[in-house]
Amino acid sequence: MFGKECYKDINRILNEKLQEKKALVAVHRGVRGGNITENTITAFNAALDMGGDAFECDVIRSTDGILYVFHDGTEPRNLNRQENIKTMSSQTIDQLWCNNGDMVSSGTHVEKLEDVLKYFCHGELFNIDRAWDIFPELFPVLDQYPHVLSQAIIKSPVEEKYLDFLDQYPVKYMYMPIVYSMEEAAKVMEYKNINLVGMELIAENEDADVYKDENIRRIREQNLFVWINVIKLGEHYCLFGHLDDDKALKGDPDGSWGEVLKKGGNILQTDWPYQLSCYRNQYFGLK
């Protein structure tokens, strides 16, 4: 069982899925392509239809307090705008059109977080990313939708201000810190009132201590899952050594996805859910 016994009811769906699938496929911003834009309900649905067990969504806050699903910094590509979306009002954001893969309007707008929360209310797992700077505004919105408590996995960097907030907040959403070292892992585990269910490990190279098998095993022995990013964000952008989607798709899935599973990865975040889920099923002998 992942997580603490006292939070087992909250963590039930996560544990049931991990028991069934052995390892889960998480999909980075949903499946985008053609006229489907990332970080939208359609993209998330496509991700689940293509074998994903969970999806990742990014959340930002407008200047007047409305929460949207969008990865700030991608405005030039996704919106044909240079300004950061966090500097815009909801009135401005609601008038923007999202680009498709050909950099022309897809006919869709940036979606509000509440619309995503209302739609995915049937046990779907999702990870909320890049929202740690707005935890005080985010959590009361999540509280309005009781089903989210057992579906959302919240993450943040390992910083005291975020850990203190989670420790003190009365509703215990599932939490996964972004961990770069075993020192950070130990710091998170000092907090006793956080519903810690796993850790996202970032290893820029094979020398990183969180890349080492014995340290991954130590984390798992604390009843925590290990989340590994196999997404490839650029030629020189390594999130877990050199074990990534590109290597798998170029003909060596055993040397990338297989290595992550062998090292103890429980949840793999990918941009290629169909291919990875097929490989996962074959690796574990699942139907």
Side-chain angles (χ1 to χ4, degrees), residues 47-179:
L48 300 175
D49 288 343
M50 295 177 71
D53 303 296
F55 62 84
E56 178 235 25
C57 62
D58 303 290
V59 178
I60 64 94
R61 177 185 180 274
S62 68
T63 56
D64 54 333
I66 305 300
L67 302 186
Y68 290 87
V69 179
F70 192 87
H71 188 298
D72 72 304
T74 68
E75 292 85 358
R77 172 170 58 85
N78 283 318
L79 299 173
N80 280 334
R81 298 288 291 261
Q82 296 300 317
E83 314 97 293
N84 189 293
I85 193 171
K86 294 180 180 180
T87 67
M88 303 177 191
S89 68
S90 60
Q91 183 178 10
T92 298
I93 295 172
D94 288 342
Q95 294 174 352
L96 298 176
W97 295 99
C98 296
N99 286 342
N100 65 16
D102 289 328
M103 294 291 290
V104 298
S105 175
S106 64
T108 59
H109 294 285
V110 181
E111 294 184 341
K112 292 182 175 66
L113 174 63
E114 290 202 54
D115 290 334
V116 173
L117 299 180
K118 291 174 186 176
Y119 186 92
F120 292 102
C121 60
H122 304 97
E124 303 90 346
L125 290 176
F126 53 93
N127 165 229
I128 295 181
D129 194 9
R130 296 179 64 84
W132 45 82
D133 59 330
I134 53 169
F135 274 175
E137 294 80 21
L138 171 68
F139 277 61
V141 173
L142 301 181
D143 291 346
Q144 297 177 38
Y145 304 92
H147 63 273
V148 171
L149 179 60
S150 59
Q151 294 179 224
I153 301 172
I154 312 298
K155 75 175 181 180
S156 78
V158 179
E159 295 185 26
E160 287 186 7
K161 58 184 176 181
Y162 306 133
L163 298 175
D164 288 344
F165 177 89
L166 292 162
D167 191 67
Q168 296 167 16
Y169 199 77
V171 183
K172 298 304 178 182
Y173 292 94
M174 293 182 285
Y175 175 63
M176 170 183 70
I178 307 167
V179 170

Side-chain angles (χ1 to χ4, degrees), residues 31-42:
V31 170
R32 64 269 196 198
N35 199 50
I36 304 304
T37 305
E38 65 187 43
N39 269 316
T40 60
I41 289 173
T42 305

Side-chain angles (χ1 to χ4, degrees), residues 234-275:
E235 180 183 2
H236 304 294
Y237 203 123
C238 293
L239 294 174
F240 197 72
H242 293 87
L243 307 180
D244 56 54
D245 286 337
D246 279 17
K247 186 173 184 179
L249 296 172
K250 290 177 180 178
D252 190 13
D254 292 332
S256 52
W257 296 336
E259 278 298 308
V260 171
L261 293 171
K262 188 185 301 183
K263 289 174 72 65
N266 302 104
I267 303 180
L268 281 62
Q269 180 167 242
T270 182
D271 283 317
W272 301 90
Y274 176 74
Q275 289 85 348

